[in-house]
Amino acid sequence: MSDVSPQHHHVMKIVVVGKGGREHALVRALVESASQPQVFSFPGSDAILELAQPVDAHDLDSLIEWMTANEINLCVAGEESYLVTGDGLANRCEMAGIPCWGPHKQSAQLEASKEFAKLFLERHGIPTGRAVVVDDADQARLAIAGKYPTVLKFDGLAAGKGVAVCSNEIEAEHFLHEVLVQRRFGAGRLLVEECLTGPELSIFAAVVDDQALVFTPARDYKRAYDGDLGPNTGGMGAVASRQLIDEAMMEQIQTTIINPTLQGLKKDVLPYRGFLYFGLMLTPAGPKVIEYNCRFGDPECQAVMPLVAGDLAEFCLAGAKGKLRKDLLDFSNDWSVCVILASAGYPESSRNGDEISGLDSVTGARVYHAGTKHVGDAWVTQGGRVLAVVASAKERVLAAELAHTEASKIQFAGSQRRSDIGLRSF
Ligand code: AMP
Ligand code: GLY
């Protein structure tokens, strides 16, 4: 009998779904894995496709078909959109017999529906802001009851624009009009939520059923300008370090938030194998959940990945098959600082086609591409967030200074960068 074909004689084939800076970082970490997998990306970007090979697909159906035809061993969900498209990426992978690192559609409702997430949190006694779900503006006014500040959250997907922290009635009325009268995001309910205070923290766990491995904690910078001023963005930078919080806080987050979440997923029969993002507020009354996301953060992923050593490819494959292999990864105790270079007009708009120079002179940092395009011999801007420059060091200030120094070597017309990432507003 010669039909025993040992798995390790085959090169693992991975497809990463997504196209942004987060996926560039994931693809790079997978490519650098000791198991030396062959990495493909869908839809990918010009920069990602320098490390990974393209996938000939245009939607979920053709992606599943292509992965089956090409004997893909693992599908890694970078972004969330396909997790809730059609029957869901993970569900479709399961039907096709392809291990998937990313949760089933029903579990991804934790990100897709704020009402679903809030009910989950309340049902399982996980600390979070009190909230009331309303259908129209009158119910919303009753729920607000004249108490400000208040937080209003549209229930469905709203491209990151569905949350308003309102400090007075004028701001609340403006949001209610946009969302419940003009229906800017379409039909859907609204959460009126208690306003929490304290520093925010992003915790990422690799979840395999009812077990989890917590990655390095991170903090992102959501506002456009220095000093946390200006409009909200997708994130202008991030800092990651195990030293962001002390042991006691990590322990409290584990016992009051992470463990009950894992138990809740199990009780509710919500299959979960993939990254789970806990958006937390460290309030005076302890850490509370602001939101769940069913993926890694962007740009937190770009900050965290350089701190991770080991075999991410084997880790994700084992996880997708139901084994949490903590032994496959190691986390550095260093600080990592990620600085975003954004294009002219961001976040209201973005400008494409500005030629980028200086990329080759960056020596002390990693550069991940979020919104670029290769034209002839040059890289040009193609989107709002263009590049992430990431440096690490033993000390936070050293990592930050290095990231800023290296970022300053890169130029393009209209380039925007916060100068306080990792230094001030911290
Ligand atoms: P989300 O879209 O849920 O991530 O919310 C966007 C941002 O709104 C969060 O990062 C917080 O800064 C803020 N936010 C959300 N919920 C609350 C809350 N209950 N209290 C205070 N700020 C909040
Ligand atoms: N950095 C925030 C997010 O990925 O949603």
Side-chain angles (χ1 to χ4, degrees):
M1 300 288 279
S2 61
D3 61 348
V4 187
S5 48
Q7 203 59 52
H8 58 265
H9 283 175
H10 296 266
V11 172
M12 191 200 311
K13 291 162 108 179
I14 309 176
V15 167
V16 176
V17 178
K19 60 182 184 306
R22 166 182 52 213
E23 287 77 18
H24 196 205
L26 282 175
V27 164
R28 180 147 168 198
L30 291 167
V31 166
E32 289 173 356
S33 294
S35 50
Q36 294 186 297
Q38 200 177 352
V39 182
F40 300 81
S41 181
F42 170 77
S45 65
D46 286 351
I48 290 172
L49 294 173
E50 291 200 328
L51 300 171
Q53 297 174 51
V55 169
D56 183 16
H58 56 275
D59 60 8
L60 184 56
D61 284 335
S62 51
L63 172 63
I64 298 289
E65 214 170 286
W66 188 92
M67 289 196 292
T68 303
N70 288 275
E71 300 179 324
I72 294 302
N73 306 101
L74 172 67
C75 178
V76 173
E79 61 178 45
E80 67 279 15
S81 64
Y82 281 94
L83 295 171
V84 292
T85 297
D87 291 328
L89 175 67
N91 308 58
R92 290 290 304 274
C93 279
E94 184 169 60
M95 286 188 267
I98 303 164
C100 179
W101 186 244
H104 283 66
K105 183 177 184 174
Q106 58 272 39
S107 317
Q109 296 303 313
L110 283 178
E111 170 164 6
S113 165
K114 295 193 185 294
E115 180 177 353
F116 182 94
K118 187 59 73 178
L119 293 175
F120 177 92
L121 288 159
E122 288 175 351
R123 185 162 62 242
H124 300 295
I126 302 163
T128 186
R130 285 186 312 275
V132 178
V133 185
V134 301
D135 290 296
D136 59 39
D138 280 336
Q139 288 180 5
R141 290 183 193 108
L142 270 178
I144 297 169
K147 285 197 211 80
Y148 294 97
T150 189
V151 181
L152 304 179
K153 297 184 168 180
F154 178 68
D155 181 48
L157 291 173
K161 301 218 160 79
V163 176
V165 180
C166 306
S167 45
N168 55 49
E169 189 177 338
I170 295 166
E171 290 173 18
E173 285 297 330
H174 181 77
F175 190 78
L176 291 178
H177 187 74
E178 262 190 352
V179 174
L180 295 178
V181 181
Q182 293 178 328
R183 290 283 170 192
R184 176 173 176 196
F185 307 120
R189 312 222 279 170
L190 191 82
L191 265 70
V192 176
E193 187 168 300
E194 171 194 6
C195 190
L196 303 173
T197 55
E200 288 183 45
L201 185 74
S202 307
I203 293 284
F204 307 95
V207 172
V208 178
D209 306 328
D210 57 354
Q211 289 184 294
L213 173 64
V214 178
F215 278 44
T216 311
R219 183 162 292 161
D220 76 345
Y221 290 70
K222 292 198 165 77
R223 299 302 189 107
Y225 313 130
D226 281 17
D228 287 333
L229 299 173
N232 263 315
T233 71
M236 291 299 286
V239 173
S241 171
R242 187 62 200 76
Q243 301 169 60
L244 265 178
I245 50 172
D246 61 24
E247 283 297 327
M249 177 58 75
M250 193 63 235
E251 185 65 34
Q252 198 179 353
I253 291 169
Q254 184 79 48
T255 52
T256 65
I257 292 173
I258 299 174
N259 293 347
T261 297
L262 299 175
Q263 291 310 309
L265 290 171
K266 190 175 178 175
K267 278 188 203 141
D268 294 352
V269 196
L270 294 171
Y272 210 112
R273 290 176 186 172
F275 293 120
L276 177 56
Y277 171 141
F278 299 77
L280 307 180
M281 189 83 88
L282 307 181
T283 79
K288 297 191 179 186
V289 176
I290 301 177
E291 62 166 344
Y292 288 115
N293 291 310
C294 296
R295 49 170 177 79
F296 225 106
D298 187 336
E300 292 99 321
C301 187
Q302 294 90 307
V304 169
M305 277 308 148
L307 300 175
V308 182
D311 201 316
L312 187 69
E314 287 290 356
F315 177 83
C316 292
L317 179 65
K321 290 177 167 180
K323 273 209 164 60
L324 185 70
R325 290 278 310 275
K326 294 185 182 182
D327 58 296
L328 287 172
L329 298 181
D330 276 308
F331 298 93
S332 158
N333 271 324
D334 287 358
W335 287 81
S336 178
V337 174
C338 166
V339 169
I340 295 289
L341 298 176
S343 73
Y346 186 74
E348 285 77 19
S349 62
S350 60
R351 197 164 77 195
N352 295 343
D354 289 312
E355 189 169 329
I356 303 166
S357 67
L359 281 168
D360 290 340
S361 50
V362 176
T363 47
R366 290 178 179 232
V367 179
Y368 298 117
H369 292 234
T372 66
K373 196 177 151 160
H374 211 180
V375 176
D377 287 338
W379 288 101
V380 303
T381 62
Q382 176 79 11
R385 288 187 294 174
V386 178
L387 297 162
V389 179
V390 188
S392 30
K394 289 257 170 291
E395 305 287 338
R396 172 173 57 84
V397 173
L398 293 179
E401 282 170 354
L402 187 54
H404 287 284
T405 302
E406 295 296 318
S408 70
K409 296 176 178 172
I410 302 172
Q411 271 113 30
F412 51 88
S415 164
Q416 306 184 62
R417 163 170 65 94
R418 274 184 64 160
S419 68
D420 61 350
I421 306 294
L423 295 169
R424 274 165 282 129
S425 305
F426 184 76

